[in-house]
Each structure stands twice: as C-alpha cells, then as structure tokens.
Amino acid sequence: MQVSVGHLREISEKSLMGQGVAASSAQLQADLLIEAELRGLPSHGVQRLPRLVARLKAGLADPQASGDVRETRAGVLSVDGGRGLGPVVMMQTLGRLAELAAGQGIALAAIRNANHIGMLAYYAEAAAARNLIGIVMTTSEALVHPYGGTEAMLGTNPIAIGIPTGARPYVLDLATSRVSMGKIYHHALTGTPIPEDWAVDAQGRRTTDPEAAKAGAIAPFGAAKGYGLGLGVELLVAALAGSAFAPEVSGTLDASQVANKGDILILIDPTAGEGSAAGLAAYLDRLRASRPADPARPVAVPGDGMRARRDRALCDGVEIPQSLHDEIRALAEG
Amino acid sequence: MQVSVGHLREISEKSLMGQGVAASSAQLQADLLIEAELRGLPSHGVQRLPRLVARLKAGLADPQASGDVRETRAGVLSVDGGRGLGPVVMMQTLGRLAELAAGQGIALAAIRNANHIGMLAYYAEAAAARNLIGIVMTTSEALVHPYGGTEAMLGTNPIAIGIPTGARPYVLDLATSRVSMGKIYHHALTGTPIPEDWAVDAQGRRTTDPEAAKAGAIAPFGAAKGYGLGLGVELLVAALAGSAFAPEVSGTLDASQVANKGDILILIDPTAGEGSAAGLAAYLDRLRASRPADPARPVAVPGDGMRARRDRALCDGVEIPQSLHDEIRALAEG
C-alpha cells in the first residue's frame, strides 16, 4: 500500500516512544528508517522497526542510552554505545567528533555496543551538511564468503563517503557484498527469487532461493578486490572498536542477542586541505555530460538516482506491504 | 632474462645517481621499483625507470626535492612535493605523519606536485612496520570510464590499506579500475592481447588490443560500486591535495609534463582503539582455514600470494626483458 511520509513517521515514532524512547530519539530513529524508504532502500526501512521494538522490549536496546564517549587521543573518540539505538549513538558521536575535526583537521570515532546504525548514507550526508568529509564503516553478522571460499566469514561491511561539493554533496554508500542481506530478506518477504550470482546455500552451492541464501553466504562484490576491501573494513573496525569478528557477531538481524558489531566514523575538514568544493562540483558535471554507453541513459554520479527517488517519494508517499503497515500501527497503538 | 636482485638494484641506483639523485634517495626509489618486481608487478617495476631518468633529465623531476611539509592543523600535513621523486616525498611525509599520528591518534597528509609514487603497498607496509594503520590513495591520468560511460574521465585511483596484525600485516593494494594501465602497457610491451572486459577503444567499443586500449578507457572494477569508490578517491584527493582532476592530469606516464596528480596518506595508531593485533591475526587464520570453493586452492588473504612470490624471487632473481635490462645498464653507465 502507498502511505504518506507524515503518517509513516507518526506511527513509527509512536511505536518507539511506547517503549520509553524519548521523543527526540524516536524522531531520529524513525527519520533514518524513513529516509531509507524514500531512497528506495526498503531493506533498511521500516521493515526493521518491529524487530527494533522487540529488542527494546527484551532489553537488548536501551531506549535512553546515547553512548559513553571517551577521548583516547586528541583526534580519537572511543564510544561505548551502552546498547543505545544506533542512530542516537551515531549522531551524538558525530556532533562531538565534528568539534574535534574542526580543530584537528581529521578525527576518528570507534563505536561498540550500539544497535544497528542502518543506512550509512545518512551519516555521510550529515557530515557533508556540516561541510565535513565523512567516512563511515560498520560490520555485521557473518554473511559474506571470502573470494575463493564458500562459508559466511565476513560481514556485508558497508562503507559510505560524503564529500561537500557546494550545493549537493557526493554521497556514496556501498555494501562490500554483492548485495545487502537486507535485500535478500526483502526478496524473501516478497517471495521473489534472487539472481544466481548473489549467493551460495549452506552447502556452498549457488542458489536463487532467498531462504536458502539466508542460511548460506553472499558473494563479495567485484571478486578478489571487493573481498579485500570488505576484509579491510572487518579488520579496521575490529582493530579500533574492539568489536567482535563476523562469525561471532549477532544482534542486528535478531531480537535475542546483544549487538556486538562495531562502527567507525572519520571526519575530515576540507578547509585543512587545498581543494575547492566548486571545483569538485564542476568536475562532477563534466562526468555527467561525458559520452554514455547507452545514449538514452546519461552517465550518473552516485547519489543522483537516490535524490531523484527521494524527491518523488516525498510527494507520492512510499509503498510498504499492508501487513507491515498494520504491524507498525498496532505497535504504535501499544 | 633472469637477473639477480642485487644486480638490478645496483644498475637502477646508478642510473638515478647519474642524474644527481642522492644515494639514499636513489636507494629508496630503486627499492620501490624492485619490490614491485619481487611481488610480480612488473607494471610498477623497473620498466618505469627509463621514463624516470628522462623526467630527471628534462627537469620534470627534481633529484634533490623531498617536499615542503606544512602543518595546516594539528592532525593535517599539506605537502608540496616540489617535483621530488614520489617515494622520496612519500617516505619523508610518512615519517613526519607517524609522529603526528602517535600523538593525535589519527593524522592525514595531502601531497601535490610529487612524481609517481608507484606501488601503494610499499607505504601501507611501511606504516604497518611502525605499528600504525596506513591508508594510501593516489590519482592518475584519465584512464577509466564511468560506469555507464565510455570516456576516460577518472584515474585508476588505487587504495592501499596496511593493518598491523602482529608478525605479518594485512596489506591490501587495489586499483579501482578493472586492471592498472601499467598492466595494459605490459601487455603492449610483451605483445599479448587483453581480456575483452578490461577496456574500450577511443570510440567506446570493447577491445582486446592493448594499443587500442591505451587510447581508450579501462572499465572500473565491480561495476557501479567500483566506479563509486574510484570516484570517491578522485574527489577526496582533489579536495585535500588541491591536485588536478583526471582529465587534466599528466606526468606519470610521460616524460614531457609535470606530475600534477595528488596523493593522500592517513595514519591511525591502533593503540588509540580497543582491539588487539593478535585477535586480528587469529581471525585471518580462521579465514584461511575456511571451506574453499576449490579443495585444491585454500582461501587466501590479500598479501599472501604477494609474500610468497617475493620470497621466491629473492632467491631466484626476477625476470625482465633483455632490452629493458640493457637500457637500464646503459643509463647506469651514463
């Protein structure tokens, strides 16, 4: 069914506030999920809300925690999320880190013990909105097999980069897996098969069945290179956040375990460098105007399609399954 | 022909010293090229030496410059390379930056106006040898077409990551192109065709001819994701180093233009975080022991193959074309 953003926001916030989440935190968590819906990423949208409410009920998510921030060096924050909601811990950390980055030029925060932080583009955009370059990484359950392997040993380990370019920032947000497990869950939810190069089943065989893929492993993107990059994220996050490695990670896809993955946020003040935002914007326009492979499809810059979808959805509303809507409305009504 | 590492080192250093390069700088530049040969990366090996000597002769590379380092913030160095040799400027910068990173926890250097820095793994390893995490990026001539495009608009924009894990560091070094242009040059040099998914010709058509590819554009790795990542490097480097964008970059593949690309080095002190190097090493061993797709080929960690090739080549020597050897020897003899 098609629902208005205002309605979806209202029932989402209410369902969180019903579990003791403060209004401002409920707004932030709901905003993150709804921004994912607006961008056409339902895997990171409100389908995660019922699980989040269950986690709050079970004490796996603390409705009030916003993270205990400790400055270990002049440019480094070590954050114990205290089981707080991911976006709440992330945005508090981003605020503190932005002050450090303005002084130091570059600063890093490593976060453990926070719940799922959702769509990384959200934080990359928040950094760019403060005229800072933002680099975000997070780990997850073991969902991805190594290049040349068949067992789920790595997280989907996404990376996001936000770079101010004047009016519209460059925003890249990519999982280092062939697809996100959220997308495979969405296929399972809607009963549609997956392409055969996405995943293997529990026995290590290629599969088009999303349910079999959930028990198996997703391929890394870009063969050996994507594997190396995802492994780099796995190691960087664990080295700095002291969080668990993928095979021991839980708590972002279930409602029974504490979330023990880690998150990294790096902020850089571009005014400490020598370039200009206007120069970046002009270059991106040249890219868009360059010769396309298909004359009917101009060259795009990451973030272009996302912004177009968002603009449309703000008018038209978003499409969510009726059953999901009814579930969230019931949660909102307590 | 097979040559010993000692001999190759001697004639390489001499050919540089003949152009007024100090012994220590010649050793460093030669070491970088020879380390590439040892790892089986001839595209970044001594085949670049005759061009480098020509650049020194033409005044496009300054034999004495090591870079003018300015601290723009407590955690940021802005470096004017002064046309210095890439490895000389990079290693001087790395030394200064390591001191900053030890104090700040994280520090960044942005470098412009230095010559080609070569194989990025060299610097990632140098960082890890100092017990620091190193992230290295560099830009290049426009050699890569956007995803959905056919014109060379981006550099091959490699990224390297070095992470200390106890004895052997994790070392990732990847071009965000499907292959490096160096590899296409090597195919051209040896007269072997390239796979058809590597590149397009000047008209935007797929080609297997390395000469046609040199006039065309290389595909990004990993489709839209690899394109987004390479573009992220392009923007990050230009934003911080103030260097040129790919379509205006020259000076790493020719002997007629100043090198105006940029380089970024980020160092992070892992002791500012919460993880342990031993934990990382144990996880990597679990990865290696996980179920392979082909029982005859165990799962590898990036850097494993490189180290094995290096160990072998240190004993056996390296294979270089006779004509290249003779050219370098002639340069060494003045």
Side-chain angles (χ1 to χ4, degrees):
Chain A
M1 64 184 290
Q2 199 80 356
V3 297
S4 78
V5 172
H7 171 69
L8 194 54
R9 200 178 288 281
E10 190 188 335
I11 60 174
S12 297
E13 289 176 7
K14 271 194 183 156
S15 72
L16 291 163
M17 290 167 68
Q19 300 306 318
V21 178
S24 61
S25 298
Q27 274 166 24
L28 178 56
Q29 176 70 64
D31 191 47
L32 183 105
L33 299 175
I34 287 164
E35 283 295 326
E37 296 287 348
L38 289 171
R39 286 160 168 77
L41 286 171
S43 61
H44 286 67
V46 292
Q47 76 177 55
R48 290 183 179 261
L49 195 57
R51 195 185 307 137
L52 209 46
V53 170
R55 293 183 64 80
L56 287 160
K57 276 187 179 152
L60 298 166
D62 182 330
Q64 318 221 297
S66 61
D68 177 28
V69 180
R70 196 164 59 87
E71 195 175 307
T72 62
R73 299 290 172 84
V76 177
L77 300 178
S78 174
V79 182
D80 179 343
R83 299 191 180 188
L85 295 172
V88 173
V89 175
M90 278 294 282
M91 289 305 287
Q92 161 166 301
T93 300
L94 193 144
R96 280 283 300 271
L97 198 66
E99 291 167 31
L100 282 199
Q104 308 293 126
I106 184 168
L108 176 147
I111 300 166
R112 62 194 181 283
N113 202 19
N115 277 278
H116 193 240
I117 64 172
M119 177 184 67
L120 266 53
Y122 194 84
Y123 312 105
E125 283 177 4
R130 291 167 186 254
N131 287 315
L132 295 169
I133 293 169
I135 302 174
V136 196
M137 298 176 216
T138 189
T139 51
S140 80
E141 276 82 351
L143 295 169
V144 177
H145 63 73
Y147 176 74
T150 58
E151 274 182 273
M153 295 295 292
L154 300 111
T156 51
N157 299 359
I159 305 174
I161 303 175
I163 304 177
T165 70
R168 302 182 304 175
Y170 178 73
V171 180
L172 178 74
D173 182 355
L174 61 90
T176 54
S177 53
R178 183 73 184 70
V179 289
S180 69
M181 185 51 102
K183 202 169 266 184
I184 290 181
Y185 269 74
H186 192 68
H187 273 257
L189 194 75
T190 55
T192 44
I194 57 171
E196 71 171 9
D197 61 344
W198 280 16
V200 296
D201 65 17
Q203 284 73 46
R205 298 170 304 212
R206 297 266 150 221
T207 183
T208 60
D209 173 5
E211 290 296 340
K214 281 162 66 175
I218 312 171
F221 94 100
K225 291 188 182 196
Y227 159 53
L229 199 69
L231 179 50
V233 172
E234 186 82 37
L235 297 172
L236 270 177
V237 173
L240 296 168
S243 49
F245 287 98
E248 279 73 54
V249 168
S250 56
T252 75
L253 294 168
D254 61 69
S256 58
Q257 306 287 326
V258 169
N260 58 351
K261 51 75 197 166
D263 319 291
I264 286 183
L265 177 58
I266 298 173
L267 297 180
I268 304 168
D269 183 350
T271 66
E274 311 283 344
S276 85
L280 270 60
Y283 169 69
L284 290 177
D285 282 341
R286 286 170 67 190
L287 260 190
R288 292 185 183 98
S290 73
R291 186 179 60 195
D294 173 355
R297 293 176 65 113
V299 170
V301 166
D304 285 356
M306 190 179 80
R307 264 186 290 263
R309 283 192 297 276
R310 184 178 186 279
D311 289 349
R312 259 196 317 273
L314 278 173
C315 296
D316 299 349
V318 299
E319 178 68 34
I320 63 170
Q322 171 92 47
S323 58
L324 179 58
H325 170 267
D326 294 351
E327 189 179 1
I328 297 171
R329 195 174 52 187
L331 291 171
E333 288 166 357
Chain B
M1 64 184 289
Q2 199 81 358
V3 297
S4 79
V5 172
H7 171 68
L8 194 54
R9 199 178 289 280
E10 190 188 333
I11 59 175
S12 298
E13 289 176 9
K14 271 195 186 155
S15 72
L16 291 163
M17 290 166 68
Q19 300 305 318
V21 177
S24 62
S25 298
Q27 273 166 25
L28 178 56
Q29 175 70 65
D31 191 47
L32 183 105
L33 300 175
I34 287 165
E35 282 296 324
E37 295 288 346
L38 289 171
R39 287 161 167 78
L41 285 171
S43 60
H44 286 65
V46 291
Q47 75 177 55
R48 289 183 178 263
L49 195 55
R51 195 185 307 136
L52 210 47
V53 169
R55 294 183 62 78
L56 286 160
K57 277 187 181 153
L60 298 167
D62 181 330
Q64 316 222 301
S66 62
D68 176 28
V69 180
R70 196 164 59 89
E71 194 175 308
T72 63
R73 299 290 173 83
V76 178
L77 300 178
S78 175
V79 182
D80 179 343
R83 300 192 180 188
L85 295 172
V88 173
V89 175
M90 278 295 281
M91 290 305 288
Q92 162 168 298
T93 300
L94 194 144
R96 281 281 302 271
L97 199 66
E99 290 168 31
L100 281 198
Q104 308 292 322
I106 183 169
L108 177 147
I111 300 166
R112 63 194 180 286
N113 201 20
N115 277 278
H116 193 239
I117 64 172
M119 177 183 68
L120 266 53
Y122 194 84
Y123 313 104
E125 283 178 4
R130 292 167 186 253
N131 286 314
L132 295 170
I133 294 169
I135 302 173
V136 196
M137 298 176 216
T138 190
T139 52
S140 79
E141 275 82 352
L143 294 169
V144 177
H145 64 73
Y147 176 73
T150 59
E151 273 182 274
M153 294 294 292
L154 300 110
T156 52
N157 298 0
I159 305 175
I161 303 176
I163 305 177
T165 70
R168 301 183 303 175
Y170 178 73
V171 180
L172 178 73
D173 182 354
L174 61 89
T176 55
S177 53
R178 183 75 183 69
V179 288
S180 70
M181 185 52 101
K183 202 169 267 184
I184 290 180
Y185 270 74
H186 191 67
H187 273 258
L189 194 73
T190 55
T192 46
I194 57 172
E196 72 170 8
D197 61 344
W198 280 14
V200 296
D201 65 16
Q203 283 73 45
R205 299 170 303 210
R206 297 266 151 224
T207 183
T208 58
D209 174 3
E211 290 295 342
K214 282 162 68 177
I218 312 172
F221 94 100
K225 291 188 183 196
Y227 159 54
L229 198 68
L231 180 49
V233 172
E234 186 82 37
L235 296 173
L236 270 176
V237 172
L240 295 168
S243 47
F245 287 99
E248 278 73 53
V249 167
S250 56
T252 76
L253 294 168
D254 61 68
S256 57
Q257 305 287 325
V258 169
N260 58 352
K261 50 74 196 171
D263 320 291
I264 286 183
L265 176 58
I266 298 173
L267 297 179
I268 305 169
D269 183 350
T271 66
E274 311 282 344
S276 84
L280 271 59
Y283 168 70
L284 290 178
D285 282 340
R286 287 170 67 191
L287 260 190
R288 291 185 182 98
S290 73
R291 187 179 60 197
D294 173 354
R297 293 177 63 114
V299 170
V301 166
D304 285 357
M306 190 179 78
R307 263 186 290 263
R309 281 191 298 276
R310 184 178 189 278
D311 289 348
R312 258 196 318 273
L314 279 175
C315 296
D316 300 349
V318 299
E319 178 69 35
I320 63 170
Q322 170 93 47
S323 57
L324 179 58
H325 170 267
D326 295 350
E327 188 178 2
I328 297 171
R329 196 177 48 188
L331 291 171
E333 288 165 358

